[in-house]
Amino acid sequence: MGDCEANFPVLEEEKLIAAAQQIVKALKNKKELTHDARKILADLGSQLSSITKVDEQKEHDKLCGTENTIEKKFSELEEQLNIVQNKVMIWEVDQSLIWDCGQEYTDDYLRSVDEARILIEHLESLNVDRDSKGGELLCRAHEVLQIAMTRLEEEFKHLLVQNKQHFEPEHMSFRSNEDDEAGSIASFGDDSVEDSVVQRDSMSRRSSEGFVVELVHPDVIPDLRCIANLMFNSNYSRECSQAFINVRKDALDDFLFILEVDKLSIDDVMKMEWNSLNSKIRRWIWCMKVFVRVYLASEKWLSDQIFGELDSESAVCFAESSKGSILHLLNFAESVAIGPHQPEKLIRILDMYEVLSDLVPDIDVAYSDDAGLCVRIECQEILRILSGCARTTFLEFENAVASSVSANPFRGGGIHHITRYVMNYMKTLTDYSKILDELLKGDEEEDSSVANSPDSREEDNSNGSCYISPLAQYFKSFTSILECNLDDKSKLYKDESLGHLFLMNNIHYMAEKVKNSHDLRTILGDDWIRKHNWRFQQHAMNYERATWSSILSLLRDEGLQNPGSNSISRTLLKERMQSFYVAFDEVYKNQTGWSIPDCQLRDDLRISTSLKVIQAYRTFVGRHSNHISEKHIKYSADDLENFLLDLFEGSPRSLHGSHKGK
């Protein structure tokens, strides 16, 4: 029994040798190994190495008869390093991506690398000499760790790239907080975007930063976090951060490409036709909302998920990866703002200013740390440039109205295109009244001509005067300048009647535009409307006087008597009637070509004219029916009334040859 027990280790050893020989033979015939086979062989090699070292140490102790504590310690550390090195290097031979092989292998690799890091810390704590055995071990350990860090950097980038998720920004819509409370949602289009993200799929979620989408598949976030923590703990933070920054920079560039954001220089923007630039601006407005409120929020959330445990590193990585893209978008706004200050640009400049103002809180939150200071500063600078451009463009609009000069009278006396343009422009600007009041707040003090104008203050029954907003002051100034311009244009007409008709049309249009717009009416006030109603009515009366006073004077009895007698001269009466018909025919010929575009105003003026002319004509003809033959009455009162209905249609006609008879 005792002999069997003594021989048992020998027999077991022989079996192990035989098994090892079989393995060696099999390996010679197999060029490629599975991951499981590699792992088993690596473990076997580690165990054999440990057994060998233990046996060698025992032999050494037996020979020496003493144990050197330091040497034993270094031997133990060397054993650990050998095991770690075997596990690290086996992946360098194959070059397969560890994270493609399964969680078991990734966990084992991370543990091995962490052991290398701990081993280095331990050796460094012993203050080993460079030329000693401990120094050699430390050098080897650093080499192993560097190889592992290079591999982890590659795996980190691979995980970020291969697990990138896409979403469709074209389908995203927004709603503002105010609209949320009111329950109203604006429709999406080129000009308008709702102001809160509508959740679309499982990629989206809410976070403390707002609404985010998963830019990287959530399943790999824990692995990315583990790699980042290990690389930072191993003093390879710069390599890890730079890997993240480079990958996410490319992702952000791709997203801008998806958003169709072109990389335009200042010269490109300055040379662009307005229609193209207008389209680019509208696109920019939508892109800014999607980029800041969705993509930047999502990017920051991703950075926090990976680097959140590493002090301020998350903010640094986020800022460095994203600031190029956000600054590119801001540079486009600057390029637009420093261009020419044409009036048509004002609406778009105000749109850009408004959206950027709304996004400032989001940008400040995203770039709240020192790493994002340059973005916050640039954002405020672009806001300042946009506000200056908007204010200058607004004020130059006034100069453009004042300097609008015409060489020829406006055909037909209708509504001049400058009147339509100015009033519609003002109506559109009412949507930006709050912003414009803020931008113009200091200008009314600097511009004494506006501040001290009669329209800059309104009488109040209780206090004597009341405050008028800066926008209201400028709007009243605009209308006053427009009226002066129209008055100059009315003087181009040779016919005084047509000049009055022109002013009546245009001032009536201004009054109706304000009356029918709630916002314009609120800004300019009912007193303004009453004043302009009175003005266009005055021009209507002046038209009637200038046109019909001399004609109606022909229907008076003065000058019809025979000399030295009170009897009516038939000859003079006949001449008077002919003069009336000639004058009426001339008015008809001219004024059917004149235009009153507003139907109600046209009917009102026809009725007013008809009452005066037809009544005077009917009375005159009736009074002298005994002194004038039927053949000398060219038109009946009904004929004249019908003819008057043809006036102001903008189509010249003639009554030549259309009389009753002779």
Side-chain angles (χ1 to χ4, degrees):
M1 185 79 173
D3 292 337
C4 289
E5 291 177 356
N7 292 330
F8 181 75
V10 177
L11 293 173
E12 289 297 318
E13 186 173 339
E14 290 175 353
K15 291 180 180 179
L16 287 172
I17 293 171
Q21 289 173 341
Q22 291 295 324
I23 292 172
V24 171
K25 184 177 179 180
L27 288 174
K28 288 181 179 179
N29 298 326
K30 192 171 183 65
K31 296 181 179 179
E32 294 184 0
L33 297 176
T34 65
H35 291 296
D36 290 339
R38 273 199 304 271
K39 185 176 186 303
I40 292 171
L41 289 174
D43 291 341
L44 180 60
S46 299
Q47 292 179 22
L48 289 173
S49 177
S50 300
I51 293 170
T52 301
K53 295 301 180 182
V54 170
D55 289 342
E56 289 176 355
Q57 186 62 43
K58 287 181 179 179
E59 290 298 323
H60 180 269
D61 289 345
K62 288 179 181 179
L63 293 172
C64 298
T66 183
E67 183 177 82
N68 188 313
T69 304
I70 297 177
E71 287 298 323
K72 182 179 179 181
K73 184 67 174 176
F74 284 148
S75 296
E76 291 174 352
L77 295 176
E78 187 175 10
E79 291 170 16
Q80 297 175 23
L81 179 58
N82 289 337
I83 295 171
V84 169
Q85 186 172 13
N86 286 336
K87 291 186 176 182
V88 169
M89 295 308 298
I90 197 168
W91 289 101
E92 296 305 308
V93 174
D94 188 273
Q95 288 296 309
S96 298
L97 288 165
I98 304 171
W99 264 260
D100 288 346
C101 298
Q103 194 66 41
E104 179 184 358
Y105 296 102
T106 59
D107 290 345
D108 183 65
Y109 191 83
L110 288 172
R111 280 195 300 270
S112 298
V113 178
D114 196 44
E115 288 174 8
R117 179 189 64 80
I118 295 171
L119 186 61
I120 289 173
E121 290 180 354
H122 186 63
L123 286 168
E124 288 177 342
S125 68
L126 296 176
N127 296 320
V128 296
D129 293 332
R130 183 175 181 180
D131 297 329
S132 66
K133 183 176 181 180
E136 293 176 2
L137 289 176
L138 182 59
C139 183
R140 273 183 58 202
H142 274 299
E143 290 176 356
V144 171
L145 186 64
Q146 184 176 4
I147 292 170
M149 289 295 113
T150 301
R151 166 54 68 97
L152 286 179
E153 183 181 344
E154 293 174 0
E155 300 278 345
F156 187 76
K157 289 190 289 187
H158 174 74
L159 286 174
L160 283 171
V161 173
Q162 292 302 117
N163 293 278
K164 182 173 69 172
Q165 296 197 140
H166 302 277
F167 67 97
E168 299 177 0
E170 290 293 346
H171 297 295
M172 307 207 78
S173 55
F174 294 84
R175 182 190 304 154
S176 65
N177 293 333
E178 293 80 1
D179 290 338
D180 251 344
E181 294 172 3
S184 61
I185 302 178
S187 62
F188 170 75
D190 286 337
D191 292 320
S192 63
V193 183
E194 298 165 45
D195 292 332
S196 73
V197 181
V198 176
Q199 185 166 341
R200 291 187 53 80
D201 50 44
S202 59
M203 290 170 55
S204 56
R205 66 172 69 195
R206 294 280 176 180
S207 74
S208 58
E209 291 82 16
F211 193 93
V212 300
V213 294
E214 301 282 7
L215 300 177
V216 173
H217 199 285
D219 289 350
V220 300
I221 296 296
D223 292 322
L224 291 167
R225 188 186 303 118
C226 285
I227 295 174
N229 288 340
L230 182 53
M231 292 187 73
F232 271 71
N233 291 336
S234 303
N235 295 322
Y236 281 81
S237 58
R238 185 179 62 82
E239 289 79 0
C240 182
S241 299
Q242 199 58 50
F244 177 86
I245 291 167
N246 290 340
V247 171
R248 295 314 304 168
K249 267 185 179 179
D250 291 341
L252 285 165
D253 286 341
D254 290 344
F255 186 68
L256 288 181
F257 178 79
I258 293 171
L259 292 179
E260 300 178 16
V261 176
D262 299 326
K263 292 190 174 181
L264 301 170
S265 66
I266 292 177
D267 287 341
D268 292 333
V269 174
M270 298 282 277
K271 294 175 183 177
M272 199 173 293
E273 293 291 331
W274 169 243
N275 287 339
S276 298
L277 182 58
N278 185 32
S279 178
K280 296 285 185 188
I281 293 173
R282 291 191 297 178
R283 186 74 185 174
W284 181 90
I285 290 167
W286 179 78
C287 288
M288 278 295 291
K289 290 186 176 183
V290 175
F291 189 79
V292 172
R293 289 185 175 162
V294 182
Y295 209 85
L296 278 188
S298 303
E299 192 70 31
K300 182 169 176 57
W301 185 85
L302 173 64
S303 181
D304 288 343
Q305 291 297 301
I306 297 173
F307 299 104
E309 300 173 4
L310 302 168
D311 297 329
S312 62
E313 194 61 33
S314 173
V316 173
C317 289
F318 165 73
E320 290 300 317
S321 64
S322 63
K323 69 181 181 182
S325 298
I326 186 68
L327 291 177
H328 168 68
L329 286 168
L330 292 174
N331 287 341
F332 174 78
E334 181 181 12
S335 299
V336 173
I338 64 178
H341 300 133
Q342 296 105 328
E344 63 267 21
K345 284 177 59 177
L346 178 57
I347 302 301
R348 293 295 171 227
I349 293 293
L350 291 172
D351 285 336
M352 297 177 84
Y353 178 85
E354 183 177 38
V355 73
L356 189 55
S357 296
D358 290 343
L359 292 175
V360 163
D362 300 88
I363 294 172
D364 286 346
V365 168
Y367 295 97
S368 57
D369 296 82
D370 292 342
L373 179 61
C374 65
V375 175
R376 300 199 306 273
I377 291 174
E378 183 67 11
C379 186
Q380 292 298 329
E381 177 63 13
I382 299 303
L383 265 182
R384 185 190 65 78
I385 293 172
L386 284 171
S387 67
C389 176
R391 187 166 52 250
T392 302
T393 305
F394 180 84
L395 298 178
E396 287 192 4
F397 171 69
E398 185 177 59
N399 297 330
V401 175
S403 60
S404 172
V405 178
S406 299
N408 299 308
F410 190 71
R411 184 180 176 184
I415 301 167
H416 198 280
H417 55 77
I418 192 174
T419 307
R420 295 182 186 275
Y421 183 80
V422 171
M423 297 309 298
N424 287 317
Y425 195 77
M426 288 170 54
K427 185 177 183 297
T428 304
L429 289 179
T430 59
D431 293 337
Y432 305 89
S433 57
K434 184 177 180 181
I435 296 174
L436 284 169
D437 275 333
E438 292 176 0
L439 297 179
L440 298 169
K441 198 168 287 182
D443 286 325
E444 72 271 19
E445 298 174 2
E446 298 174 9
D447 191 344
S448 58
S449 63
V450 174
N452 298 322
S453 66
D455 287 331
S456 66
R457 301 182 66 81
E458 286 183 352
E459 292 301 318
D460 186 282
N461 292 334
S462 58
N463 300 322
S465 64
C466 63
Y467 170 76
I468 303 177
S469 70
L471 184 61
Q473 293 183 34
Y474 278 104
F475 272 14
K476 291 184 178 185
S477 176
F478 287 171
T479 57
S480 295
I481 291 171
L482 174 60
E483 288 176 62
C484 290
N485 189 287
L486 293 171
D487 192 58
D488 290 339
K489 287 175 169 51
S490 73
K491 293 180 173 62
L492 296 173
Y493 295 105
K494 295 179 179 179
D495 192 321
E496 181 187 358
S497 300
L498 185 52
H500 287 299
L501 190 84
F502 171 77
L503 290 173
M504 176 199 72
N505 274 327
N506 284 269
I507 295 175
H508 175 266
Y509 178 86
M510 294 168 64
E512 288 296 298
K513 201 73 177 178
V514 174
K515 184 171 69 175
N516 294 325
S517 167
H518 175 269
D519 293 329
L520 275 177
R521 187 167 192 161
T522 300
I523 292 172
L524 292 173
D526 288 339
D527 284 345
W528 185 96
I529 296 174
R530 283 191 290 271
K531 184 187 297 182
H532 286 75
N533 281 339
W534 179 84
R535 286 180 183 172
F536 86 75
Q537 289 166 4
Q538 285 294 113
H539 285 296
M541 288 188 291
N542 290 338
Y543 153 79
E544 289 183 347
R545 286 197 203 97
T547 300
W548 298 105
S549 292
S550 59
I551 296 175
L552 292 179
S553 68
L554 297 172
L555 300 178
R556 297 194 184 101
D557 291 342
E558 290 83 356
L560 293 178
Q561 292 82 9
N562 287 310
S565 171
N566 290 329
S567 62
I568 298 298
S569 170
R570 291 178 180 273
T571 302
L572 292 176
L573 182 60
K574 177 183 175 182
E575 291 175 354
R576 184 70 66 85
M577 290 296 292
Q578 289 176 340
S579 296
F580 172 81
Y581 292 135
V582 169
F584 186 90
D585 287 356
E586 186 66 21
V587 168
Y588 183 89
K589 177 183 176 181
N590 291 333
Q591 298 195 16
T592 51
W594 296 0
S595 173
I596 300 180
D598 186 86
C599 297
Q600 186 62 52
L601 181 61
R602 183 168 62 244
D603 289 343
D604 288 346
L605 190 59
R606 283 171 177 170
I607 292 170
S608 176
T609 300
S610 182
L611 288 173
K612 294 180 177 66
V613 174
I614 303 306
Q615 181 63 36
Y617 180 76
R618 183 177 283 119
T619 301
F620 185 81
V621 171
R623 187 165 59 244
H624 299 291
S625 58
N626 295 329
H627 301 89
I628 189 170
S629 65
E630 185 71 18
K631 67 179 182 180
H632 293 125
I633 300 177
K634 190 175 183 180
Y635 308 123
S636 68
D638 290 340
D639 290 333
L640 292 180
E641 189 170 8
N642 289 329
F643 293 150
L644 288 173
L645 294 177
D646 294 334
L647 301 184
F648 318 128
E649 291 288 351
S651 300
R653 300 184 186 183
S654 175
L655 290 174
H656 180 69
S658 61
H659 53 79
K660 266 187 74 175
K662 297 181 182 178

